[in-house]
Amino acid sequence: MPNQSEMTAGSAAHAHYSPRLCNEDLAPTRNQNWSWYNIFSFWMSDVHSMGGYVVAASFFTLGLASWQVLLCLLAGICIVQLCANLVAKPSQMAGVPYAVISRQAFGVFGANIPAVIRGLIAFAWYGIQTYLAANALMLVLLKFYPTLNTLTVAHWLGLSTLGWICFGIMWLLQALVFWHGMSAIKRFIDVAGPAVYVVMVALAGWIVYKTGFDGISFTLASKSLSVGEQSWQMITATALVVSYFSGPLLNFGDFSRYGKNMGEIRRGNRWGLPFNFLLFSVVTVVIVSGTQSLFGRMITDPIETISMVGNDVAVAIGLLTMITATIGINIVANFVSPAFDFSNCSPQKISFRAGGMIAAVGSVLLTPWNLFQSPELIHYTLDVLGSCIGPLFGILIADFYWIKRGKVYVDDLFNDSPSGRYWYRGGFNLNAIGALVPSVGICLAISFIPSLHGVANFSWFIGVALGAGCYRWLARAERAARVGAYPQQVVMQKEV
């Protein structure tokens, strides 16, 4: 969200943009001052969360050994880094969020289709992360106020009375941080990501202290698999890592738009993804592996593991830090992005703040705790999300790099007249819509057909391939068209 001085300057500079397509939040930012560390902190907040820990730890249920889980996590995050660099470039060049840059492919009004899809997906993820943070808060309260245990008996819509209270508290805390705008969010994530490292490393140290290094087994597996089965499960786990990050990956342009240049963004991605995630993964594997030796069973929930530490103060500090980290990822991935997405639908009626609150309210209606109950359900949820996000990512990449040849005509992104380059037919690009519908449909069918369940874990990759392939074929005539068919306007094509 821009500051006041930026709004004043921006209003004059963007006065000729259509009010049906522009407000101060969607207009090209004049404040591209994020360094590599800000991008690094963004990914730290995204990685260091209870949701990320649960997903990583759940790979043990696939029957993989600790070293295999570690390898899958690293391979998956390297794919995410490559894709993040690709999706960051058009938004950084033009200084606009994902919803606006999508107008290149879908048309100035057709871009509302991917914006709404991504916004609805944020409903689910925002609620899931809020629930995980609320669960940690409930454990802290029960630790110090055991009498509250009576409020955990009655359930409504799958959540106890105390659960609803904690969920409401976390919901309000996140809204308060978000309400203060992007500058406050930037400061928050600069602190939230690093903070959880203290807790994770301390927890790993405590487990090693209790079990000794002999208690940490990197050959631990929950079931016995053949070599072929292990290889397939490793490929599956790698795909699920990408699916988990597919949401913030698609909307990474909402943050790369503030980057100083692509060099800073690539550096931030390099340190924030492979390097950062490798360390996080090692700590996660040590903790999960150690719980087998210490408690006689693998514990994949970090909240449960922390709650078993003997010292009450240490438990409280650990859980509160995990809560802070989860708030960080929720804001950057599931508050900011839908805020821009829904604002894009009606810029003059839905502001950045209103768009974020729409996602926050919608998340409650989904009862998200029912989507994250078990490792199997986690994987199924990721399959469905990947089915929707994959084609959107594929179309965006195919359009910018293959069809538009790395160019962004910024003024046309806000031009709602037939003379605009991205007007297409009534503001809708039928080629992009024609590629999106069957791609999503095929991926969802794969997810819901039992006989194809093994392939469903690759729904994001299948969606990317289908979306990019279909769109490139349908838009082949546009690629061949002469650029001179349009009057010369503002074009961005830079590499720093």
Side-chain angles (χ1 to χ4, degrees):
M1 190 173 182
N3 56 40
Q4 189 61 42
S5 61
E6 182 184 347
M7 290 175 64
T8 302
S11 297
H14 310 134
H16 62 290
Y17 289 167
S18 170
R20 301 170 67 190
L21 300 173
C22 184
N23 59 28
E24 294 298 337
D25 303 312
L26 300 177
T29 181
R30 302 168 61 89
N31 193 23
Q32 291 183 302
N33 60 1
W34 281 35
S35 68
W36 72 271
Y37 180 77
N38 300 125
I39 301 297
F40 170 64
S41 296
F42 164 82
W43 288 117
M44 286 185 77
S45 295
D46 212 345
V47 169
H48 304 169
S49 68
M50 286 179 283
Y53 182 100
V54 170
V55 170
S58 68
F59 292 158
F60 285 98
T61 65
L62 297 175
L64 299 177
S66 300
W67 68 270
Q68 293 172 320
V69 170
L70 190 61
L71 185 60
C72 294
L73 294 173
L74 184 58
I77 209 64
C78 286
I79 296 174
V80 173
Q81 180 199 6
L82 173 64
C83 294
N85 288 335
L86 291 175
V87 81
K89 187 175 180 180
S91 286
Q92 193 282 326
M93 288 169 56
V96 297
Y98 162 75
V100 175
I101 208 66
S102 291
R103 295 172 185 175
Q104 273 199 304
F106 285 87
V108 290
F109 297 133
N112 289 330
I113 297 174
V116 169
I117 291 175
R118 176 63 182 100
L120 292 176
I121 290 172
F123 282 11
W125 274 121
Y126 180 84
I128 288 171
Q129 296 286 3
T130 302
Y131 163 67
L132 292 173
N135 200 28
L137 177 60
M138 184 166 63
L139 284 176
V140 174
L141 293 176
L142 290 174
K143 195 79 172 179
F144 290 93
Y145 304 99
T147 55
L148 293 176
N149 193 59
T150 57
L151 298 178
T152 63
V153 178
H155 287 73
W156 183 60
L157 297 179
L159 202 60
S160 67
T161 303
L162 184 58
W164 276 106
I165 294 173
C166 293
F167 187 89
I169 292 173
M170 297 311 305
W171 191 94
L172 288 173
L173 286 176
Q174 293 171 118
L176 286 174
V177 176
F178 169 81
W179 201 257
H180 285 81
M182 284 302 299
S183 59
I185 294 172
K186 176 184 173 183
R187 291 192 298 270
F188 186 86
I189 64 176
D190 283 347
V191 175
V196 77
Y197 256 139
V198 177
V199 173
M200 293 290 288
V201 172
L203 184 59
W206 177 77
I207 287 195
V208 172
Y209 171 76
K210 288 289 187 179
T211 63
F213 287 103
D214 294 337
I216 308 300
S217 173
F218 284 87
T219 59
L220 183 67
S222 61
K223 61 183 77 171
S224 179
L225 300 176
S226 66
V227 175
E229 290 173 332
Q230 288 180 21
S231 300
W232 175 253
Q233 293 292 18
M234 289 179 69
I235 296 173
T236 299
T238 301
L240 289 173
V241 172
V242 181
S243 294
Y244 174 76
F245 286 99
S246 61
L249 178 60
L250 179 66
N251 274 91
F252 183 52
D254 294 341
F255 300 90
S256 68
R257 67 182 295 208
Y258 300 107
K260 292 179 180 179
N261 52 60
M262 280 303 300
E264 290 286 313
I265 291 174
R266 291 192 186 96
R267 184 183 178 191
N269 287 343
R270 183 169 59 252
W271 286 100
L273 287 169
F275 175 82
N276 171 50
F277 197 68
L278 176 61
L279 182 56
F280 178 80
S281 300
V282 169
V283 174
T284 299
V285 168
V286 168
I287 294 174
V288 175
S289 177
T291 58
Q292 176 72 38
S293 301
L294 189 58
F295 305 112
R297 61 187 179 91
M298 283 192 298
I299 301 176
T300 59
D301 187 346
I303 300 175
E304 183 179 355
T305 304
I306 292 175
S307 67
M308 292 183 174
V309 177
N311 189 289
D312 289 349
V313 175
V315 171
I317 294 175
L319 292 177
L320 289 174
T321 305
M322 295 295 285
I323 290 171
T324 301
T326 302
I327 290 176
I329 181 182
N330 227 6
I331 290 174
V332 300
N334 305 313
F335 226 146
V336 173
S337 294
F340 286 125
D341 293 336
F342 290 125
S343 179
N344 184 76
C345 296
S346 183
Q348 298 305 306
K349 295 180 180 179
I350 303 177
S351 66
F352 175 80
R353 287 173 173 170
M357 295 310 296
I358 290 174
V361 172
S363 69
V364 182
L365 302 179
L366 282 179
T367 62
W369 42 89
N370 294 319
L371 300 176
F372 226 61
Q373 289 180 339
S374 66
E376 292 77 14
L377 194 54
I378 292 171
H379 294 172
Y380 187 77
T381 301
L382 294 177
D383 293 342
V384 174
L385 296 179
S387 298
C388 297
I389 294 177
L392 292 176
F393 180 88
I395 292 172
L396 175 68
I397 297 303
D399 179 74
F400 178 73
Y401 289 98
W402 290 334
I403 306 302
K404 302 302 190 299
R405 305 179 187 184
K407 297 180 180 178
V408 181
Y409 292 82
V410 181
D411 285 355
D412 285 295
L413 294 172
F414 302 92
N415 187 346
D416 65 350
S417 69
S419 63
R421 187 179 296 267
Y422 308 125
W423 175 254
Y424 298 107
R425 294 185 181 180
F428 294 83
N429 185 3
L430 300 183
N431 290 331
I433 298 172
L436 177 66
V437 173
S439 300
V440 172
I442 292 173
C443 289
L444 288 176
I446 291 174
S447 298
F448 285 100
I449 296 176
S451 60
L452 298 177
H453 182 69
V455 185
N457 293 321
F458 304 92
S459 57
W460 185 85
F461 293 91
I462 296 172
V464 171
L466 288 174
C470 290
Y471 181 72
R472 189 181 185 185
W473 185 80
L474 291 173
R476 63 193 183 281
E478 180 187 347
R479 188 177 191 275
R482 293 176 58 87
V483 176
Y486 294 91
Q488 188 64 33
Q489 300 179 33
V490 180
V491 61
M492 305 289 292
Q493 187 179 26
K494 61 183 179 180
E495 182 71 21
V496 182

